[in-house]
């Protein structure tokens, strides 16, 4: 079936289309109601269906002859450890840990926060929560205590699961002190903390803590709990524009249907083949394509602990491909830019047999044409750029390798995936013709797998995504379509920046910078970085009479951001400026500053109090090397 035929079926007859796709999964009760609206007037998929995601991902495969097939490969160059879990072994570990959670009082609907490094136990904890019908919320292990505390307070978990330490290249990072501090900062206190002890550094446990291995030694397997398709599977926090992270909710039924479909339609994977998403389970890519997508489809997934371009060398992608016969590799463009920097002639590619690799997928940030062309040239493999968001859970636009290989246009994420009716709108909500830039939006209903709400705040969900353009989901990205319907994403329309594939709020960073006693006003903007795509830079106005060395100020601000958000923010620059462009009402023109940073032509609006401040700031940014002259 061609892409065009499949896409038209999904748009014109969505209920028949997704009912057909749902039949590929083993339901406890197959849904009769395919599409409906809930009490909040939000579209929901498969409302009367009953199922369990963990059963679909593990038990079903064991029952149908895949018990001895590798389900999960663990490769950790930072510890020199490798392990393979068959579907049967992974099922046993998950069922036992589900029993451990149940022993701590976890029931259907309860929340479990998971703060762990890239180890199999993180995946086991996620699947065990799903087995009980509980709602997991994985927090990236690089986040500082404050960020973890905010998520604990919002999700109000019954149990928190962690490890004694994580490992960043060669540095051992103790997790338990971070967890203890986060719990002390949070108004909500979990009933229990379960700790997986790693030999690299053991944690000191209190009387209220539980040792993972000790609890597992006496656990008996727990059965699956049947849930409604619309019951939440997980909460994943993404940066919001107000500084408070948004808890994206993913339901069970639509999520399973969408990811199962995507493994074939987008990634061209078959059961039994090896898929590697080189991400972290703390991000949406890890949720969708390290854990759930591959396992729902009966594939083998890879959990890699380390940074592929640093541990042990820039040839890690190719070494892994040869060793595990990986068919599809998925990573952010940042990773390939780093590899290109370390190995520009791709000599390490020649060192390994990568014949098993059929396709390289990139997402998480814009794939610049030079990185695309270098990767294609040096590997000889097709490279597919695709665009999606934490909110959607799977690709909005892609070159659908499992349906049809479409011509590639560097700079474009190709075409909308079946189910996503992507439009480019002007400020009034009117669709724009080909070639004209506007806001990227998706006509409702969204396909299965997309968020139905924000945890505990449906009104915020409506305000953030549904109010700007009636009957559309607003993506927050801008771009255009060409005459062939290819979509080009040009960047964010809000203040969330993309740092190495991680969406981070500049608004949150501004709150931290503004708390410094020397700072009167500030703006944090994203500037182009050849490796990470974007990095934040603070533009700072000092209070009158303050005498502080600029290098000292920068060091203190960097330390504040690192403490509150974590090193992943990559905040390393703060520039003192004499003024910031503002509206007459006193609002800083952040969009204008972003345009300067992007080195666009900037027209000075008449509403700026001091028009001279724009070229002045532009000159300062040029001298600082933040924009080109």
């Amino acid at each position: 079936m061609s892409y065009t035929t499949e896409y038209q079926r999904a748009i014109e007859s969505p209920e028949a289309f997704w009912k057909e796709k749902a039949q590929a999964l083993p339901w406890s009760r197959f849904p009769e109601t395919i599409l409906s609206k809930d009490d909040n007037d939000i579209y929901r998929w498969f409302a009367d269906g009953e199922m369990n995601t963990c059963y679909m991902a593990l038990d079903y495969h064991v029952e149908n002859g895949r018990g001895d097939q590798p389900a999960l490969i663990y490769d950790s160059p930072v510890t020199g450890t490798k392990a393979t879990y068959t579907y049967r072994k992974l099922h046993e570990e998950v069922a036992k840990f589900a029993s451990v959670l149940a022993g701590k009082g976890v029931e259907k609907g309860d929340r479990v926060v998971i703060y762990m490094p890239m180890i199999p136990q993180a995946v086991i904890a996620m699947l065990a929560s799903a087995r009980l019908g509980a709602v997991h919320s994985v927090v990236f292990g690089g986040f500082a205590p404050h960020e973890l505390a905010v998520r604990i307070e919002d999700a109000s978990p019954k149990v928190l699961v962690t490890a004694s330490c994580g490992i960043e290249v060669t540095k051992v990072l103790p997790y338990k002190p971070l967890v203890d501090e986060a719990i002390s900062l949070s108004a909500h206190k979990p009933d229990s903390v379960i700790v997986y002890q790693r030999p690299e550094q053991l944690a000191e446990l209190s009387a209220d803590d539980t040792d993972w291995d000790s609890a597992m030694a006496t656990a008996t397997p727990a059965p699956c709990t049947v849930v409604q398709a619309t019951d939440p599977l997980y909460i994943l926090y993404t940066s919001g524009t107000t500084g408070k992270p948004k808890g994206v909710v993913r339901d069970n039924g639509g999520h399973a249907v969408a990811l199962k479909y995507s493994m074939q339609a987008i990634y061209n994977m078959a059961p039994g083949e090896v898929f590697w998403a080189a991400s972290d389970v703390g991000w949406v890519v890890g949720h969708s394509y390290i854990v759930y997508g591959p396992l729902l489809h009966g594939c083998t997934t890879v959990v890699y602990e380390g940074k592929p371009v640093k541990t042990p060398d820039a040839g890690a992608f190719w070494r892994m491909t040869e060793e595990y016969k990986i068919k599809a590799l998925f990573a952010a463009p940042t990773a390939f830019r780093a590899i290109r920097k370390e190995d520009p002639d791709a000599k390490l590619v020649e060192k390994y047999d990568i014949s098993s690799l059929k396709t390289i997928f990139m997402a998480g940030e814009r794939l610049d044409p030079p990185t695309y062309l270098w990767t294609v040239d040096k590997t000889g493999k097709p490279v597919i750029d695709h665009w999606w968001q934490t909110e959607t859970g799977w690709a909005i636009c892609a070159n659908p390798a499992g349906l049809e290989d479409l011509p590639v246009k560097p700079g474009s994420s190709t075409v909308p995936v079946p189910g996503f009716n992507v439009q480019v709108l002007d400020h009034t909500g009117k669709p724009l013709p080909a070639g004209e830039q506007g806001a990227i939006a998706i006509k409702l209903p969204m396909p299965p797998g997309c968020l139905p709400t924000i945890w505990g705040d449906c009104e915020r969900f409506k305000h953030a995504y549904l109010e700007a353009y009636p009957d559309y989901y607003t993506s927050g990205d801008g771009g255009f379509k060409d005459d062939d319907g290819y979509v080009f994403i040009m960047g964010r329309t809000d203040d969330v920046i993309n740092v190495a594939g991680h969406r981070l709020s500049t608004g949150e960073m501004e709150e931290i910078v503004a708390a410094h006693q020397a700072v009167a006003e500030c703006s944090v903007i994203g500037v182009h970085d050849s490796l990470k795509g974007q990095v934040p830079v603070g533009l700072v106005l000092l209070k009158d009479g303050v005498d502080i060395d600029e290098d000292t100020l920068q060091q203190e601000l960097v330390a504040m951001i690192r403490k509150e958000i974590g090193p992943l923010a990559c905040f390393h620059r703060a520039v003192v400026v004499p003024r910031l462009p503002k509206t007459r009402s006193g609002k800083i023109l952040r969009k204008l500053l972003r345009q300067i940073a992007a080195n666009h032509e900037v027209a000075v609006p008449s509403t700026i109090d001091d028009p001279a401040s724009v070229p002045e700031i532009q000159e300062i940014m040029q001298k600082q090397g933040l924009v080109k002259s």
Side-chain angles (χ1 to χ4, degrees), residues 575-578 615-626:
V575 179
V576 175
V577 296
E616 189 173 40
I617 291 172
Q618 189 162 4
E619 182 180 354
I620 290 169
M621 294 170 73
Q622 287 171 352
K623 288 180 179 179
Q624 291 285 337
L626 301 177

Side-chain angles (χ1 to χ4, degrees), residues 543-590:
K543 294 178 180 177
D544 290 342
V546 168
D547 183 17
I548 185 171
D549 178 77
E550 191 164 342
D551 289 340
T552 300
L553 175 65
Q554 178 170 274
Q555 291 171 12
E556 292 177 359
L557 293 176
V558 168
M560 290 169 67
I561 296 286
R562 188 179 183 90
K563 181 177 186 298
E564 294 296 319
I565 297 178
L568 81 165
C570 294
F571 184 96
H572 302 301
R573 298 287 301 278
V575 179
V576 175
V577 296
R579 60 182 60 85
L580 291 168
K582 297 180 181 179
T583 65
R584 288 198 176 99
S585 63
K587 184 177 180 181
I588 296 172
L589 286 161
R590 289 173 172 83

